Amino acid sequence: MNILALGASSNKNSINKTLAKYAASLIEGAYVDILDLNDFELPIYSEDREKEIGQPKLAQNFIAKMNGADAVIVSFAEHNGTYTVAFKNILDWVSRISRSVYQNKPVIFLSTSPGPGGASSVLNTALQSAQFLGAIVKGSLSVPSFYENFDISTQQPTNPQIQNELNSIVKSLTNHIGEKHV
């Protein structure tokens, strides 16, 4: 089972990348590929730029990673209530290669922030657009006040309710994958 996990942020110390990586670690026996958005830094998308340079190799590589996964875990960082510029730009480029960005894969959508909102606005945006981007959402969770609910040193949640919710969401994902492989 191949799991693709990413934090939808270009922050090198992204708490969303930490959360996505942790959720992926709950899937026993899976090969987990942790993507870093910094490895897919693209020029700002525009139709003019696309006509000028075509489809950048990095955008093609990103969609190939999606295509090679059995499932995807994304944890969204929130900038001003929506996607980070880095993630939105990748979406814009990749959706020109394949409108089905998530390649009709089962996905888990997560979000977190240092504050009590847990980046829930961007999570709602992602959930609303999922069907248009080829995501089969198997679960979602907003984790508020990340540093109060997650121990960075152990890389694990400290809040039992959040741990239980993550376990449940991951189980729904693995059940879906298991059904596909039977």
Side-chain angles (χ1 to χ4, degrees), residues 65-120:
K65 291 278 191 181
M66 286 286 182
N67 195 40
D70 293 314
V72 181
I73 299 173
V74 182
S75 188
F76 296 95
E78 184 176 280
H79 288 184
N80 299 316
T82 191
Y83 297 119
T84 63
V85 171
F87 185 73
K88 177 66 169 87
N89 193 48
I90 288 171
L91 278 182
D92 290 343
W93 277 109
V94 171
S95 68
R96 300 296 287 184
I97 297 169
S98 173
R99 185 77 178 131
S100 178
V101 171
Y102 294 101
Q103 301 291 292
N104 299 308
K105 307 287 181 178
V107 301
I108 293 174
F109 284 165
L110 307 170
S111 67
T112 192
S113 70
S120 59

Coordinates of all heavy atoms in Angstrom, one line a residue, residues 65-120:
K65 N 3.2 11.6 -8.8 CA 3.2 11.1 -7.4 C 1.8 10.8 -7.0 O 1.5 9.8 -6.3 CB 3.8 12.2 -6.4 CG 5.3 12.4 -6.6 CD 6.0 11.4 -5.9 CE 7.5 11.7 -5.8 NZ 8.2 10.7 -5.1
M66 N 0.8 11.6 -7.3 CA -0.6 11.4 -7.0 C -1.0 10.1 -7.7 O -1.7 9.2 -7.0 CB -1.5 12.5 -7.4 CG -1.4 13.7 -6.6 SD -2.2 13.5 -5.0 CE -2.0 15.2 -4.4
N67 N -0.7 9.9 -8.9 CA -1.1 8.8 -9.7 C -0.5 7.5 -9.1 O -1.2 6.4 -9.2 CB -0.7 8.9 -11.2 CG -1.4 8.0 -12.0 OD1 -2.6 7.7 -11.9 ND2 -0.7 7.4 -13.0
G68 N 0.7 7.5 -8.6 CA 1.3 6.3 -8.0 C 0.9 5.9 -6.7 O 1.2 4.8 -6.2
A69 N 0.1 6.8 -6.0 CA -0.4 6.5 -4.6 C -1.7 5.7 -4.6 O -2.5 5.8 -5.5 CB -0.6 7.8 -3.9
D70 N -1.8 4.8 -3.6 CA -3.1 4.2 -3.4 C -4.1 5.1 -2.6 O -5.3 4.9 -2.7 CB -2.9 2.9 -2.5 CG -2.1 1.8 -3.3 OD1 -2.4 1.6 -4.5 OD2 -1.2 1.3 -2.7
A71 N -3.5 6.0 -1.8 CA -4.3 6.9 -1.0 C -3.5 8.2 -0.7 O -2.2 8.1 -0.8 CB -4.8 6.3 0.3
V72 N -4.2 9.2 -0.4 CA -3.5 10.5 -0.1 C -4.0 11.1 1.2 O -5.2 11.1 1.5 CB -3.8 11.5 -1.3 CG1 -3.1 12.8 -1.0 CG2 -3.4 10.9 -2.6
I73 N -3.0 11.6 2.0 CA -3.3 12.4 3.2 C -2.8 13.8 3.1 O -1.6 13.9 2.8 CB -2.7 11.7 4.5 CG1 -3.2 10.3 4.6 CG2 -2.9 12.5 5.7 CD1 -2.6 9.5 5.7
V74 N -3.6 14.8 3.2 CA -3.2 16.2 3.1 C -3.7 16.9 4.3 O -4.8 16.7 4.8 CB -3.9 16.9 1.9 CG1 -3.4 18.3 1.7 CG2 -3.7 16.1 0.6
S75 N -2.7 17.6 4.9 CA -3.1 18.5 6.0 C -2.9 19.9 5.6 O -1.8 20.3 5.1 CB -2.2 18.2 7.2 OG -2.7 18.9 8.4
F76 N -3.9 20.7 5.6 CA -3.9 22.1 5.1 C -3.6 23.1 6.1 O -4.2 23.2 7.1 CB -5.3 22.4 4.5 CG -5.7 21.5 3.4 CD1 -6.5 20.4 3.6 CD2 -5.3 21.8 2.1 CE1 -6.9 19.6 2.5 CE2 -5.7 21.0 1.0 CZ -6.5 19.9 1.2
A77 N -2.6 23.9 5.7 CA -2.3 25.2 6.4 C -3.2 26.2 5.9 O -3.7 26.2 4.8 CB -0.8 25.6 6.2
E78 N -3.5 27.2 6.7 CA -4.5 28.2 6.3 C -3.8 29.6 6.3 O -3.2 30.0 7.3 CB -5.6 28.2 7.3 CG -6.7 29.2 7.0 CD -7.9 29.1 8.0 OE1 -8.7 28.1 7.8 OE2 -8.0 29.9 8.9
H79 N -3.9 30.3 5.2 CA -3.4 31.7 5.1 C -4.6 32.5 4.7 O -5.2 32.3 3.7 CB -2.3 31.8 4.0 CG -1.0 31.2 4.4 ND1 0.1 31.3 3.6 CD2 -0.6 30.5 5.5 CE1 1.1 30.7 4.2 NE2 0.7 30.2 5.3
N80 N -5.0 33.4 5.6 CA -6.1 34.3 5.4 C -7.4 33.6 5.1 O -8.1 34.0 4.2 CB -5.7 35.4 4.4 CG -4.6 36.2 4.8 OD1 -4.5 36.7 5.9 ND2 -3.6 36.5 3.9
G81 N -7.6 32.5 5.7 CA -8.8 31.7 5.5 C -8.9 30.8 4.4 O -9.9 30.1 4.2
T82 N -7.8 30.6 3.6 CA -7.8 29.7 2.5 C -6.5 29.0 2.3 O -5.6 29.1 3.2 CB -8.3 30.5 1.2 OG1 -8.6 29.6 0.2 CG2 -7.2 31.5 0.8
Y83 N -6.3 28.4 1.1 CA -5.1 27.7 0.8 C -3.8 28.6 0.9 O -3.9 29.8 0.6 CB -5.1 27.1 -0.6 CG -6.1 26.1 -0.9 CD1 -7.1 26.4 -1.9 CD2 -6.2 24.9 -0.2 CE1 -8.1 25.4 -2.2 CE2 -7.1 23.9 -0.5 CZ -8.1 24.2 -1.5 OH -9.0 23.3 -1.8
T84 N -2.7 28.0 1.2 CA -1.5 28.7 1.1 C -1.2 29.0 -0.4 O -1.7 28.2 -1.2 CB -0.3 27.9 1.7 OG1 -0.1 26.8 0.9 CG2 -0.5 27.6 3.1
V85 N -0.5 30.0 -0.7 CA -0.2 30.4 -2.1 C 0.6 29.2 -2.7 O 0.3 28.8 -3.9 CB 0.6 31.7 -2.2 CG1 1.1 31.9 -3.6 CG2 -0.2 32.8 -1.7
A86 N 1.5 28.6 -2.0 CA 2.3 27.5 -2.6 C 1.4 26.3 -3.0 O 1.6 25.8 -4.1 CB 3.3 27.0 -1.6
F87 N 0.5 26.0 -2.2 CA -0.4 24.8 -2.5 C -1.4 25.2 -3.6 O -1.6 24.5 -4.6 CB -1.2 24.3 -1.3 CG -2.0 23.1 -1.6 CD1 -1.4 21.9 -1.8 CD2 -3.4 23.2 -1.7 CE1 -2.1 20.7 -2.1 CE2 -4.1 22.0 -2.0 CZ -3.4 20.8 -2.2
K88 N -2.0 26.4 -3.5 CA -2.9 26.8 -4.6 C -2.2 26.9 -5.9 O -2.8 26.5 -6.9 CB -3.5 28.2 -4.2 CG -4.5 28.8 -5.2 CD -5.7 27.9 -5.4 CE -6.8 28.6 -6.2 NZ -6.7 28.5 -7.6
N89 N -1.0 27.4 -6.0 CA -0.3 27.4 -7.2 C 0.0 26.0 -7.8 O -0.2 25.8 -9.0 CB 1.0 28.2 -7.0 CG 1.7 28.6 -8.3 OD1 1.0 29.1 -9.2 ND2 3.0 28.3 -8.5
I90 N 0.3 25.1 -7.0 CA 0.5 23.7 -7.4 C -0.8 23.2 -8.0 O -0.9 22.6 -9.1 CB 1.1 22.8 -6.3 CG1 2.5 23.2 -6.1 CG2 0.9 21.3 -6.7 CD1 3.1 22.5 -4.9
L91 N -1.9 23.4 -7.3 CA -3.2 23.0 -7.7 C -3.5 23.6 -9.1 O -4.0 22.9 -10.0 CB -4.4 23.4 -6.8 CG -4.7 22.6 -5.6 CD1 -5.8 23.2 -4.8 CD2 -5.0 21.2 -5.9
D92 N -3.2 24.9 -9.3 CA -3.5 25.5 -10.6 C -2.7 24.9 -11.7 O -3.3 24.6 -12.8 CB -3.2 27.0 -10.5 CG -4.2 27.8 -9.6 OD1 -5.3 27.2 -9.3 OD2 -3.9 28.9 -9.2
W93 N -1.5 24.6 -11.5 CA -0.6 24.0 -12.6 C -1.1 22.6 -12.8 O -1.3 22.2 -14.0 CB 0.8 24.0 -12.2 CG 1.5 25.3 -12.5 CD1 2.0 26.3 -11.6 CD2 1.9 25.8 -13.8 NE1 2.5 27.3 -12.3 CE2 2.5 27.1 -13.6 CE3 1.7 25.3 -15.1 CZ2 3.0 27.8 -14.7 CZ3 2.1 26.1 -16.2 CH2 2.8 27.3 -15.9
V94 N -1.2 21.8 -11.8 CA -1.5 20.4 -11.9 C -2.9 20.2 -12.5 O -3.1 19.2 -13.3 CB -1.3 19.7 -10.5 CG1 -1.8 18.2 -10.6 CG2 0.1 19.7 -10.1
S95 N -3.9 21.0 -12.2 CA -5.2 20.8 -12.7 C -5.3 21.1 -14.2 O -6.2 20.7 -14.9 CB -6.2 21.7 -12.0 OG -6.0 23.1 -12.3
R96 N -4.3 21.7 -14.7 CA -4.2 21.9 -16.2 C -3.7 20.6 -16.9 O -3.9 20.4 -18.1 CB -3.3 23.1 -16.5 CG -3.7 24.4 -16.0 CD -5.0 24.8 -16.5 NE -4.8 25.3 -17.9 CZ -5.7 25.8 -18.7 NH1 -7.0 25.9 -18.2 NH2 -5.4 26.2 -19.9
I97 N -3.0 19.8 -16.1 CA -2.5 18.5 -16.7 C -3.6 17.5 -16.5 O -3.9 16.7 -17.5 CB -1.3 18.0 -15.9 CG1 -0.1 19.0 -16.1 CG2 -0.9 16.6 -16.3 CD1 1.1 18.7 -15.2
S98 N -4.3 17.5 -15.4 CA -5.4 16.6 -15.1 C -6.3 17.3 -14.1 O -6.0 17.6 -13.0 CB -4.9 15.3 -14.5 OG -6.0 14.5 -14.0
R99 N -7.5 17.5 -14.6 CA -8.6 18.1 -13.7 C -8.7 17.3 -12.5 O -9.1 17.8 -11.4 CB -9.9 18.2 -14.5 CG -10.9 19.0 -13.8 CD -10.7 20.5 -13.9 NE -11.7 21.2 -13.2 CZ -11.5 22.1 -12.3 NH1 -10.3 22.5 -12.0 NH2 -12.5 22.7 -11.7
S100 N -8.5 16.0 -12.5 CA -8.6 15.1 -11.4 C -7.3 15.1 -10.7 O -6.5 14.1 -10.7 CB -9.0 13.7 -11.9 OG -9.0 12.8 -10.8
V101 N -7.0 16.2 -10.0 CA -5.7 16.3 -9.3 C -5.4 15.1 -8.3 O -4.3 14.6 -8.3 CB -5.7 17.6 -8.5 CG1 -4.5 17.7 -7.6 CG2 -5.7 18.8 -9.4
Y102 N -6.4 14.7 -7.6 CA -6.2 13.6 -6.7 C -6.4 12.2 -7.3 O -6.3 11.2 -6.6 CB -7.2 13.7 -5.5 CG -6.9 15.0 -4.6 CD1 -7.6 16.1 -4.7 CD2 -5.8 15.0 -3.7 CE1 -7.3 17.2 -4.0 CE2 -5.5 16.1 -3.0 CZ -6.3 17.2 -3.1 OH -6.0 18.3 -2.3
Q103 N -6.6 12.2 -8.6 CA -6.6 11.0 -9.4 C -7.6 10.0 -8.9 O -7.4 8.8 -9.0 CB -5.2 10.4 -9.4 CG -4.1 11.3 -10.0 CD -4.3 11.4 -11.5 OE1 -4.2 10.5 -12.3 NE2 -4.7 12.6 -11.9
N104 N -8.8 10.4 -8.4 CA -9.8 9.6 -7.9 C -9.4 8.6 -6.9 O -9.8 7.4 -6.8 CB -10.5 8.9 -9.1 CG -11.1 9.9 -10.0 OD1 -11.9 10.8 -9.6 ND2 -10.8 9.8 -11.3
K105 N -8.5 9.1 -6.0 CA -7.9 8.3 -4.9 C -8.7 8.6 -3.6 O -9.2 9.7 -3.5 CB -6.5 8.6 -4.6 CG -5.5 8.6 -5.8 CD -5.3 7.2 -6.2 CE -4.3 7.2 -7.4 NZ -3.9 5.9 -7.9
P106 N -8.7 7.6 -2.7 CA -9.3 7.9 -1.4 C -8.3 8.9 -0.7 O -7.1 8.7 -0.8 CB -9.4 6.6 -0.7 CG -8.4 5.7 -1.4 CD -8.3 6.2 -2.8
V107 N -8.9 9.9 0.0 CA -8.1 10.9 0.7 C -8.6 11.1 2.1 O -9.8 10.9 2.4 CB -8.0 12.2 -0.1 CG1 -7.5 12.1 -1.5 CG2 -9.4 12.9 -0.1
I108 N -7.7 11.6 2.9 CA -8.0 12.1 4.2 C -7.6 13.6 4.2 O -6.4 13.9 3.8 CB -7.3 11.4 5.4 CG1 -7.8 10.0 5.5 CG2 -7.5 12.2 6.7 CD1 -6.9 9.2 6.6
F109 N -8.5 14.5 4.5 CA -8.1 15.9 4.6 C -8.1 16.3 6.1 O -9.0 16.1 6.9 CB -9.2 16.8 3.9 CG -9.1 16.8 2.4 CD1 -10.2 17.3 1.7 CD2 -8.0 16.3 1.7 CE1 -10.1 17.3 0.3 CE2 -7.9 16.3 0.4 CZ -9.0 16.8 -0.4
L110 N -6.9 16.9 6.5 CA -6.7 17.4 7.9 C -6.4 18.8 7.8 O -6.0 19.3 6.7 CB -5.6 16.6 8.5 CG -5.6 15.1 8.5 CD1 -4.3 14.5 9.0 CD2 -6.8 14.6 9.4
S111 N -6.4 19.5 8.9 CA -5.9 20.8 9.0 C -5.5 21.1 10.5 O -6.1 20.5 11.4 CB -6.9 21.9 8.5 OG -8.0 21.9 9.4
T112 N -4.6 22.0 10.7 CA -4.3 22.4 12.0 C -3.7 23.8 12.0 O -3.2 24.3 10.9 CB -3.3 21.4 12.7 OG1 -3.3 21.8 14.1 CG2 -1.9 21.4 12.2
S113 N -3.6 24.4 13.1 CA -3.0 25.8 13.3 C -2.7 25.9 14.8 O -3.2 25.2 15.6 CB -4.0 26.9 12.9 OG -5.0 27.0 13.8
P114 N -1.8 26.9 15.1 CA -1.5 27.1 16.5 C -2.7 27.6 17.3 O -2.8 27.5 18.5 CB -0.4 28.2 16.5 CG 0.1 28.1 15.1 CD -1.0 27.7 14.2
G115 N -3.7 28.2 16.6 CA -4.8 28.8 17.2 C -6.0 27.9 17.4 O -6.0 26.8 16.8
P116 N -7.1 28.4 18.0 CA -8.2 27.5 18.3 C -9.1 27.2 17.1 O -9.9 26.3 17.1 CB -9.1 28.4 19.3 CG -8.6 29.8 19.0 CD -7.2 29.7 18.6
G117 N -8.9 27.9 16.0 CA -9.7 27.6 14.7 C -9.2 26.4 14.0 O -10.0 25.8 13.2
G118 N -8.0 25.9 14.2 CA -7.5 24.7 13.6 C -7.5 24.7 12.1 O -7.6 23.7 11.5
A119 N -7.5 25.9 11.5 CA -7.5 26.0 10.0 C -8.7 25.4 9.4 O -8.7 24.9 8.3 CB -6.2 25.5 9.4
S120 N -9.8 25.5 10.2 CA -11.1 24.9 9.7 C -11.7 25.6 8.4 O -12.3 24.9 7.7 CB -12.1 24.9 10.8 OG -12.4 26.2 11.2

